[in-house]
Amino acid sequence: MSVKIRLQRHGKKGKPFYWVVAADARSKRDGKYLEKIGTYNPNTNPATIELNIDSAVKWLHNGAQPTDTAKAILSYKGALLKHHLDGGIRKGALTQEQADAKLATWLQAKSGKVDAKKDGLTKSQADAKAKAFKAEQDVNAKRLANAAKAEADAIAAESVIEAEVEEAPVAEVEVEVEEAPVAEVEEAPVAEVEAEVEEAPAAQAEVEEIPVSEVEVEETPAAELELEVEESLVVEAEVEEIPVSEVVVEETSAAEENNEEAQA
């Protein structure tokens, strides 16, 4: 049975978390495994790796073949170096103490590199944070300066408008109130009122004179009535006089008749 050292996926979607296992090559990726020898978390920077070096070296000694990713992890943690040093010890090229010293030296150097990387990442993060903070401060200062400038401009504009309102419009309003309305209200209406008053009484005089003519017209019928009365009196007088003449004529005719009868 061939054994492989590989990664078994765990975790949730978008947040993978792997186990480093020794499993049968025929089993599924996330199936049964023979032994769990470590974990690998790629969600951090640098990646978090926990590995049991002795178990990994044991499986390597038994002929287990690591996958590419598992091989990189084993190399990162020094498991492959220890497996190589153990081969030198078996061959008699090295003693156990020499192999352990070399492994410790390598692990110390590797740890220093990892720590330097972490420090570099922390420093870069701090620098980026400080840069972003400074940029934010600059933006805030610029915004405050613009706001102060806008407020100062607004105040200046308001003061200019108030000055214009206090100076020019007051003079114009006074001139218009003192000159135009006085001229229009006092002079023109007075002239118009006087003209209207003069014309109106003239019209009333004419209207009053018209009844005088009417009175004259009315007086004319009175004269006519007097003439008619006088004419009627004259006619009556004539009428009254006419019977007198008739009476005289009748009397003369009666006397003639008497004379004729006497002569007869």
Side-chain angles (χ1 to χ4, degrees), residues 61-212:
H61 288 340
N62 292 333
Q65 297 296 319
T67 60
D68 294 339
T69 306
K71 188 176 182 179
I73 292 172
L74 295 176
S75 174
Y76 182 81
K77 297 301 290 185
L80 292 179
L81 177 61
K82 187 175 182 181
H83 173 64
H84 176 69
L85 293 174
D86 287 345
I89 293 170
R90 283 195 303 269
K91 293 177 180 179
L94 296 171
T95 61
Q96 186 67 39
E97 291 79 8
Q98 292 175 344
D100 292 341
K102 287 185 177 180
L103 180 62
T105 304
W106 185 90
L107 289 175
Q108 187 176 0
K110 186 67 174 180
S111 178
K113 291 180 180 178
V114 171
D115 292 338
K117 185 177 180 180
K118 288 181 179 179
D119 294 338
L121 291 173
T122 304
K123 185 178 180 181
S124 63
Q125 289 177 356
D127 293 340
K129 187 175 180 181
K131 187 176 180 181
F133 182 71
K134 185 177 180 181
E136 186 177 357
Q137 283 183 337
D138 294 338
V139 170
N140 291 333
K142 187 175 180 181
R143 184 172 65 249
L144 292 174
N146 291 333
K149 184 178 179 182
E151 186 176 358
D153 293 340
I155 293 171
E158 289 179 359
S159 62
V160 170
I161 291 171
E162 289 177 358
E164 291 178 355
V165 169
E166 290 177 356
E167 293 177 1
V170 169
E172 291 178 0
V173 169
E174 289 179 355
V175 171
E176 290 179 357
V177 170
E178 292 178 359
E179 294 180 0
V182 170
E184 292 178 358
V185 174
E186 294 182 358
E187 294 178 1
V190 168
E192 291 177 0
V193 170
E194 289 179 356
E196 290 177 358
V197 169
E198 290 177 357
E199 290 176 0
Q204 291 179 359
E206 292 177 358
V207 173
E208 290 177 356
E209 289 175 358
I210 290 168
V212 171

Side-chain angles (χ1 to χ4, degrees), residues 218-232:
E218 290 177 357
E219 288 176 357
T220 304
E224 290 178 356
L225 289 174
E226 290 179 358
L227 292 174
E228 289 178 359
V229 171
E230 290 178 357
E231 289 177 358
S232 62

Side-chain angles (χ1 to χ4, degrees), residues 3-7 19-22 36-40 49-61 63-84 103 106-107 110:
V3 177
K4 282 187 173 292
I5 299 174
R6 64 188 183 189
L7 302 179
W19 289 359
V20 182
V21 297
K36 177 183 176 183
I37 59 178
T39 59
Y40 168 58
I49 299 173
E50 293 180 2
L51 185 67
N52 188 345
I53 296 176
D54 294 334
S55 296
V57 171
K58 182 187 73 171
W59 282 105
L60 288 173
H61 288 340
Q65 297 296 319
T67 60
D68 294 339
T69 306
K71 188 176 182 179
I73 292 172
L74 295 176
S75 174
Y76 182 81
K77 297 301 290 185
L80 292 179
L81 177 61
K82 187 175 182 181
H83 173 64
H84 176 69
L103 180 62
W106 185 90
L107 289 175
K110 186 67 174 180

Side-chain angles (χ1 to χ4, degrees), residues 238-253:
E238 291 177 355
V239 171
E240 289 177 358
E241 290 176 357
I242 291 168
V244 173
S245 60
E246 289 177 357
V247 172
V248 173
V249 173
E250 288 178 358
E251 287 180 357
T252 53
S253 61

